[in-house]
Amino acid sequence: LVHLVGLARPSEFLIESPFGGGPGLAAVLTAHHTEAGLFAGTSKALFRARAVVSFRVEIPGASETVLVEASAASRWKFHSRTLNLVHTENNIDRTGPGNMMKGGGKPGHRSQAVERPDGVEWWRTFNKDKDSPDLMQSSGRMIARSRVVREHWLRDGDPVAVLGSLHRAEDGSLRLVADGADGAGWLTNDKSLSKALGELGTPAGEGGEGPS
């Protein structure tokens, strides 16, 4: 296994977010209920959505980049504690005209929410029957409880540490893979998990927040 540290750069595709956090190269989005009362905050994660696309690692001083190859067979390990929190989408609900999903703004300030046209489809795809988007609709005097999504991302230009198997492809390019032959791969942009990241700068976060 090889440990590479450099700057993450797009290869071909980017991941988009239905909310405000993207685009990027790897993402973990966690959905939560809002909790009212004295200890107001958010619930434990209702569900998680993960995605990664192939990207390049630009190594300072090196003459070529290394492709981090992501495919259906890849076994890259990353989660909300290995990627930086870059956006929190508050006030997610479907109480407006047409049941369009809305979100955004400061916690509790639903008037600041904006339409999220792809939100319902995303919720149906990833909620794993744990929180149907139909439950976000108010009924009579019962106002639906809003949701929160926390977005953890690896984005273009972030310092990144990647552990995987290094191979040279037929075209001569270098590729880092996590195909299971040498175990799973691992990636992070959290400098507390890889001290070498601190020498490359700090990825953009949400008001200086780290992973949660």
Side-chain angles (χ1 to χ4, degrees):
L1 294 177
V2 174
H3 182 206
L4 293 182
V5 178
L7 300 178
R9 298 298 186 192
S11 172
E12 184 175 2
F13 300 106
L14 288 170
I15 304 164
E16 294 287 350
S17 168
F19 306 111
L25 308 166
V28 179
L29 276 62
T30 61
H32 309 259
H33 277 142
T34 54
E35 301 288 354
L38 181 62
F39 301 103
T42 57
S43 68
K44 292 183 179 180
L46 300 168
F47 62 91
R48 295 173 174 81
R50 299 170 68 255
V52 61
V53 294
S54 296
F55 64 92
R56 296 189 174 277
V57 177
E58 184 181 280
I59 303 170
S63 59
E64 62 179 313
T65 61
V66 177
L67 178 69
V68 176
E69 193 172 83
S71 68
S74 296
R75 296 178 59 196
W76 292 109
K77 288 186 176 181
F78 59 96
H79 47 78
S80 60
R81 294 187 181 276
T82 65
L83 298 181
N84 284 283
L85 176 66
V86 301
H87 178 70
T88 298
E89 184 84 353
N90 299 298
N91 308 312
I92 298 173
D93 67 23
R94 300 178 63 195
T95 59
N99 292 322
M100 170 73 75
M101 182 175 285
K102 292 185 176 183
K106 295 179 180 179
H109 292 251
R110 294 196 183 193
S111 62
Q112 298 175 352
V114 297
E115 292 186 352
R116 299 300 191 188
D118 299 321
V120 173
E121 180 181 356
W122 179 86
W123 213 277
R124 290 196 192 282
T125 300
F126 292 106
N127 85 88
K128 301 177 182 177
D129 297 324
K130 294 181 179 179
D131 186 50
S132 168
D134 297 331
L135 298 176
M136 299 179 189
Q137 299 170 358
S138 299
S139 177
R141 295 184 179 181
M142 298 298 293
I143 303 299
R145 182 165 49 169
S146 65
R147 273 68 166 172
V148 172
V149 169
R150 292 178 180 150
E151 302 194 43
H152 304 258
W153 285 85
L154 172 67
R155 299 196 288 192
D156 182 14
D158 280 357
V160 64
V162 191
L163 183 69
S165 300
L166 189 64
H167 299 274
R168 189 171 290 278
E170 293 182 0
D171 61 4
S173 63
L174 290 173
R175 302 190 175 197
L176 204 65
V177 302
D179 57 10
D182 297 310
W186 177 84
L187 62 91
T188 185
N189 61 356
D190 180 2
K191 64 181 181 180
S192 71
L193 299 178
S194 177
K195 294 182 179 179
L197 292 178
E199 301 174 5
L200 295 173
T202 303
E206 181 188 63
E209 283 190 73
S212 68

